[in-house]
Amino acid sequence: MPLRAYRMRNLHVGIIGLLWSTMPVCLAPHADANQILLIVYVSSGLIASSVVIAPTLLAAFLISVPVMLGTIVAMLMTRGSAGPVLAALVVVYSSLIFISTLHSHRSFIQRTVGKMEFEEQREVVGLLLREFEQESSDWLWRTDASNRLEHISERMIRVFGAVEGDLRGKDFVSLIFKLTDPAAAASAVTRLSEALCARDSFRDLLVPLTIQGRHCWWHITGKPMFSKDGTFRGYRGVGSDVTAAKQSQAQIAHMASHDSLTGLPNRFAFHEALAAAFAGPSHPFALLWADLDQFKDVNDTLGHAAGDTLLMEVAKRLVACVSSGDLVARLGGDEFVILLSGADSDSADTLAGRIIATVSEPYHVDGMRVGIGVSIGISVAPADAAASDELFKNADLALYRAKSDGRGTWRFYEADMDVRAQERRALQRDLRLALERRQFHLMFQPIVDLSLARVGTAEALLRWTHSERGLVSPDSFIRLAEETGLIVQIGEWVIRQACLEAAHWPGHTCVAVNLSPVQFRDTSLSSIVDSALSDSGLPPERLVLEITESVFLDADDGVLDTLHALRERGVSFALDDFGTGYSSLSYLRSFPFDKVKIDKSFVRDIAHHDSNLAIVRAITGMANSLGMTVIAEGVETEEELIVLRLEGCMHIQGYLFSRPLSASAIGPYVRMVAASGIHGGEAQSTQEALNLQTQ
Ligand code: C2E
Ligand code: MG
Ligand code: MG
């Protein structure tokens, strides 16, 4: 109501009150006792009815207060002693009326405000719920006292993939049950049904469902509702689709236990499986540790993408080799492990053979045919080990043996492998100290130039005199030195020593130094060669560096740059052991070698082995056409010499002419040959005559 109208109304009410108040004042002075009582009675009635009828508290007072005052005044104006008593009674009566009016008015106000607030809250909640149902991915559900769905929202219809008629009035549990895979969700549905029967609250109950062919996960939360008298009225709840969260959880769990490239279990998962196998019933089981051979070559030559494709294919083949109860995992790189459950040595043996045959079958990567091999180390539990670490260590030792025995094969762990591994570690420790203990020396093996009848080159061959083991062959320590990186320091010593020695030889004799591929990874190689030449005063033309094809397998641009830089200084290069490695002509084209050394395995029995002869002939022909000198290594017999000579190979190294000679013997040998000339048939006797010191 506008303020003005409100005021006018109060004014009217006030005037009415004043008019009514005149009634007792005018009538009382002339009234007898009965009439006075009537006046008091009517006035009291007026006071009581005004507070009931008046629309507001103020209006009630505007009528009743003047009437009360008028009545009191009138009573005091009356003659006789009853007037003041009646006036007092009117005061008491009016006060009681006013107090009760004030009280009921206050309760009325409170009730009205409460009702208004409740309405407002209802409106807000309704608004929020509507918005929740429209905007959120969650949905509200509501059931009646018999747990049948009511209040079907749009969102709910959508998530159930149904129409409203399919949902309304349907039993909530049966509806959920219909959408679940009974085996997978039995426990969840049972818990839901139990909670509903017991009228318990439940929160985030996880239920797997299949809706219109899509697998999903819901969280269902519900709260029973009761009326004031405790009567159950049904459930109110919310459902959320947590499929995305569940999937990412599953993905994270999968990633933590699987190799991302091949999808196989990873090292972590394998260790867990192995620990479980040890903890389980004591059936024998085997660990096969497979390491790919030549994988690095594929990776280096065809690139990492091709390497990855190859690893995926290997993983598939490995899985195809084992049965469903066995576990294939990738440890990383080109290493795979297989846990063969309930297996004895025989079945591990059979499986290893099958794996080697399968993995060694050719692959087609990027349209190219690629061949790799695999070596396997096997350790069997509980015979070989009582714990997973030990089983791993033993399989590793067996793998090392398989690799040393020529790769492409498998070996079972044997107790003495441990002893050998310790020996290897001891050898490694001694090798580290060998340089400072001055345990190395060089021997020099002449390479005779038949056409000029002189020693054109002498190859420096490293020897290690161990304090306890005596003379250790380079075949048993060069690889160890390469694996530990010690070859870089040792190789530097060899280059410097070889140059110093060769500087004392007749000027026509070069010195050949073997270089390991590992030395090329060290960027200081060319500066080492430079300083070795300048310190010794040996002209670069008299230094030949022998490298094998394996240098190119690891090669990046840096390696080729080093090779070219050294060659530009006048140092020449020989490709050693040609024919044993990859014998790829591309290596010969990518770098201009000065010499090619035919490996001794092709020289052996060349007179009787047609295939060896054919290889030597091919290498000689190719080298001659590329303008390279051909050197035959390991020539031991006169017969071999004759055939090689006939094939046009005029540079000969081998026991036929000389075994490797000590540093003090090589100079006199070179001079002796230069002075007297040499012929194959005379070689042995010449050497004996000279009584030269050989190894
Ligand atoms: P290599 O470079 O092919 O050296 C030739 C090997 O053949 C030498 O063995 C030599 O003694 C042996 N040999 C020579 N003539 C005959 C023969 O008529 N019959 C037989 N059966 N063998 C013959 P050695 O000295 O044991 O060296 C073995 C390998 O060790 C070398 O093969 C080379 O690869 C490596 N090596 C030796 N010294 C060094 C070095 O200073 N640095 C590097 N990185 N490797 C070295
Ligand atoms: Mg050599
Ligand atoms: Mg060789």
Side-chain angles (χ1 to χ4, degrees):
M1 182 190 291
L3 189 62
R4 197 179 146 74
Y6 176 74
R7 281 186 182 152
M8 283 305 289
R9 187 168 169 175
N10 287 340
L11 185 66
H12 292 158
V13 172
I15 292 168
I16 292 169
L18 279 174
L19 290 175
W20 275 109
S21 70
T22 58
M23 183 272 289
V25 178
C26 295
L27 296 178
H30 314 289
D32 59 20
N34 287 334
Q35 285 168 334
I36 284 174
L37 280 177
L38 187 64
I39 290 167
V40 171
Y41 179 76
V42 171
S43 296
S44 302
L46 264 173
I47 291 169
S49 53
S50 68
V51 295
V52 175
I53 295 164
T56 65
L57 185 65
L58 182 61
F61 282 115
L62 285 173
I63 296 176
S64 57
V65 171
V67 174
M68 177 194 76
L69 291 174
T71 312
I72 292 168
V73 170
M75 288 309 108
L76 293 176
M77 286 165 66
T78 56
R79 289 175 308 255
S81 58
V85 177
L86 286 170
L89 281 174
V90 168
V91 170
V92 173
Y93 169 74
S94 304
S95 302
L96 287 174
I97 293 280
F98 291 155
I99 288 167
S100 81
T101 305
L102 275 172
H103 182 72
S104 56
H105 182 76
R106 197 170 296 143
S107 335
F108 171 75
I109 296 282
Q110 274 173 357
R111 266 202 319 278
T112 313
V113 168
K115 207 169 154 190
M116 279 164 67
E117 278 177 357
F118 176 72
E119 281 302 321
E120 199 178 333
Q121 276 175 7
R122 238 172 66 152
E123 241 172 69
V124 171
V125 170
L127 213 77
L128 288 175
L129 287 180
R130 262 199 308 284
E131 194 176 291
F132 174 81
E133 285 193 330
Q134 280 163 12
E135 303 297 328
S136 145
S137 60
D138 299 347
W139 42 276
L140 298 171
W141 58 277
R142 202 162 91 189
T143 61
D144 60 14
S146 33
N147 289 331
R148 295 180 184 283
L149 277 179
E150 49 181 36
H151 171 75
I152 312 296
S153 67
E154 278 294 314
R155 170 115 203 101
M156 198 169 166
I157 293 172
R158 239 178 300 140
V159 296
F160 272 86
V163 292
E164 187 170 356
D166 295 341
L167 304 179
R168 188 173 294 284
K170 295 286 158 44
D171 179 73
F172 186 54
V173 178
S174 329
L175 211 61
I176 297 283
F177 186 71
K178 259 197 230 160
L179 297 171
T180 54
D181 167 8
S187 67
V189 176
T190 312
R191 269 188 293 150
L192 177 67
S193 153
E194 281 172 359
L196 293 186
C197 288
R199 294 173 184 174
D200 284 340
S201 296
F202 53 92
R203 189 170 188 80
D204 293 340
L205 193 72
L206 189 67
V207 190
L209 307 107
T210 306
I211 295 174
Q212 294 178 332
R214 173 183 166 255
H215 295 291
C216 55
W217 293 84
W218 285 356
H219 262 166
I220 300 178
T221 298
K223 191 172 175 355
M225 304 305 285
F226 297 94
S227 56
K228 275 195 188 118
D229 61 359
T231 316
F232 174 61
R233 285 174 32 223
Y235 266 89
R236 306 281 181 274
V238 62
S240 337
D241 189 330
V242 290
T243 313
K246 203 67 195 146
Q247 279 169 347
S248 50
Q249 256 176 28
Q251 204 177 349
I252 289 166
H254 188 268
M255 273 161 61
S257 60
H258 286 76
D259 166 49
S260 58
L261 178 69
T262 58
L264 291 179
N266 61 13
R267 177 187 290 269
F268 173 74
F270 190 79
H271 273 282
E272 291 223 315
L274 206 55
F278 271 105
S282 60
H283 300 308
F285 55 91
L287 169 63
L288 285 80
W289 190 328
D291 187 300
L292 302 183
D293 304 326
Q294 299 102 29
F295 172 73
K296 197 174 177 316
D297 308 345
V298 176
N299 226 11
D300 291 346
T301 46
L302 300 181
H304 289 285
D308 285 354
T309 315
L310 190 63
L311 285 174
M312 286 191 272
E313 187 53 38
V314 169
K316 273 192 217 151
R317 291 190 189 183
L318 287 175
V319 171
C321 281
V322 302
S323 32
S324 57
D326 305 325
L327 181 74
V328 180
R330 182 178 170 222
L331 293 184
D334 59 352
E335 291 184 17
F336 295 85
V337 276
I338 295 129
L339 178 59
L340 198 58
S341 27
D344 54 10
S345 304
D346 286 347
S347 43
D349 193 67
T350 313
L351 177 65
R354 193 160 64 232
I355 289 175
I356 288 179
T358 313
V359 172
S360 310
E361 288 278 312
Y363 299 78
H364 293 275
V365 180
D366 294 343
M368 288 182 68
R369 201 178 137 98
V370 177
I372 53 163
V374 59
S375 305
I376 300 174
I378 308 169
S379 164
V380 181
D384 294 341
S388 56
D389 284 354
E390 200 185 351
L391 194 69
F392 251 104
K393 191 193 85 190
N394 293 347
D396 186 27
L397 288 170
L399 175 63
Y400 184 79
R401 171 70 67 81
K403 292 244 173 213
S404 336
D405 287 356
R407 297 164 187 252
T409 183
W410 71 96
R411 291 287 177 268
F412 278 88
Y413 166 75
E414 287 162 19
D416 74 337
M417 288 179 181
D418 227 354
V419 178
R420 290 202 187 187
Q422 279 168 18
E423 262 179 25
R424 212 171 93 80
R425 275 197 288 278
L427 199 65
Q428 196 171 315
R429 195 187 51 229
D430 293 344
L431 194 59
R432 279 182 206 285
L433 299 170
L435 259 184
E436 62 186 66
R437 288 182 181 169
R438 297 171 177 269
Q439 290 176 340
F440 289 123
H441 71 273
L442 292 180
M443 298 293 278
F444 296 91
Q445 187 176 30
I447 300 171
V448 176
D449 180 346
L450 296 180
S451 49
L452 296 174
R454 65 187 191 187
V455 178
T457 309
E459 180 178 5
L461 295 163
L462 185 59
R463 298 290 177 263
W464 177 19
T465 316
H466 189 276
S467 48
E468 287 149 29
R469 295 165 203 256
L471 200 65
V472 185
S473 142
D475 286 330
S476 35
F477 72 83
I478 292 289
R479 208 165 107 191
L480 194 62
E482 287 176 338
E483 282 168 12
T484 51
L486 284 170
I487 194 71
V488 175
Q489 289 146 274
I490 298 173
E492 178 176 349
W493 180 86
V494 173
I495 297 169
R496 290 183 184 283
Q497 199 60 27
C499 290
L500 282 173
E501 292 294 343
H504 303 300
W505 303 343
H508 65 267
T509 304
C510 301
V511 64
V513 175
N514 291 286
L515 289 185
S516 150
V518 180
Q519 287 174 269
F520 281 88
R521 281 182 224 145
D522 186 68
T523 46
S524 53
L525 179 62
S526 45
S527 57
I528 289 170
V529 172
D530 278 346
S531 84
L533 289 171
S534 60
D535 289 354
S536 62
L538 187 77
E541 295 70 31
R542 288 182 56 200
L543 176 63
V544 181
L545 296 176
E546 291 194 7
I547 58 176
T548 57
E549 285 160 294
S550 53
V551 166
F552 294 95
L553 294 178
D554 289 339
D556 52 17
D557 290 347
V559 171
L560 276 178
D561 290 348
T562 310
L563 288 171
H564 282 290
L566 287 168
R567 201 162 184 275
E568 270 164 29
R569 280 178 202 132
V571 175
S572 52
F573 279 89
L575 185 56
D576 204 356
D577 302 341
F578 191 75
T580 56
Y582 301 88
S583 306
S584 165
L585 287 177
S586 64
Y587 298 137
L588 291 178
R589 275 200 224 103
S590 63
F591 184 74
F593 283 95
D594 304 277
K595 304 169 184 199
V596 178
K597 296 185 79 173
I598 304 174
D599 189 69
K600 50 182 172 286
S601 55
F602 300 110
V603 172
R604 192 71 53 252
D605 280 342
I606 191 172
H608 309 289
H609 272 95
D610 288 349
S611 57
N612 280 4
L613 180 60
I615 289 168
V616 170
R617 190 171 287 166
I619 297 174
T620 315
M622 176 205 64
N624 286 338
S625 69
L626 289 170
M628 289 186 274
T629 303
V630 183
I631 301 165
E633 291 181 321
V635 182
E636 290 185 0
T637 65
E638 195 77 29
E639 216 174 8
E640 288 162 5
L641 179 72
I642 293 166
V643 178
L644 286 163
R645 206 178 206 161
L646 284 173
E647 291 303 322
C649 178
M650 300 302 278
H651 296 262
I652 305 294
Q653 174 180 9
Y655 296 169
L656 176 65
F657 287 119
S658 172
R659 286 181 174 260
L661 302 171
S662 69
S664 57
I666 185 72
Y669 182 86
V670 171
R671 285 188 198 94
M672 183 272 295
V673 174
S676 61
I678 194 161
H679 303 285
E682 298 163 5
Q684 213 67 21
S685 51
T686 313
Q687 195 178 326
E688 276 159 18
L690 278 166
N691 195 19
L692 293 168
Q693 188 189 346
T694 62
Q695 66 170 349

